Amino acid sequence: MKGTFKTPTLKDITLSAPYFHDGSLNTLLEVIELYSKGEIVKSNLSPNLKELKLSQSEMDNIVTFL
């Protein structure tokens, strides 16, 4: 269970900035860009976390959806 956590709800996610447990990202777009790049190096994260390679349009669409 290394690196696991209970996934919080996405209800009103746009009102809950900053993001992550340490408040390190200020916008949802920054969060999505981080995961899109896949450049996350932390020993407590799953090795199955891979680069998403999203286009800017796809990232914008996800932010709009949220």
Side-chain angles (χ1 to χ4, degrees), residues 2-54:
K2 182 179 180 181
T4 63
F5 58 93
K6 183 178 178 185
T7 305
T9 180
L10 295 178
K11 183 178 180 181
D12 293 328
I13 191 74
T14 58
L15 305 175
S16 63
Y19 302 100
F20 289 106
H21 71 281
D22 61 356
S24 60
L25 298 179
N26 294 314
T27 68
L28 286 173
L29 185 58
E30 288 176 346
V31 172
I32 295 166
E33 287 172 340
L34 177 79
Y35 283 106
S36 182
K37 292 176 187 175
E39 298 172 358
I40 305 167
V41 180
K42 293 187 177 183
S43 62
N44 64 335
L45 292 179
S46 169
N48 297 323
L49 187 62
K50 304 293 182 200
E51 179 180 8
L52 296 176
K53 299 179 184 177
L54 299 172

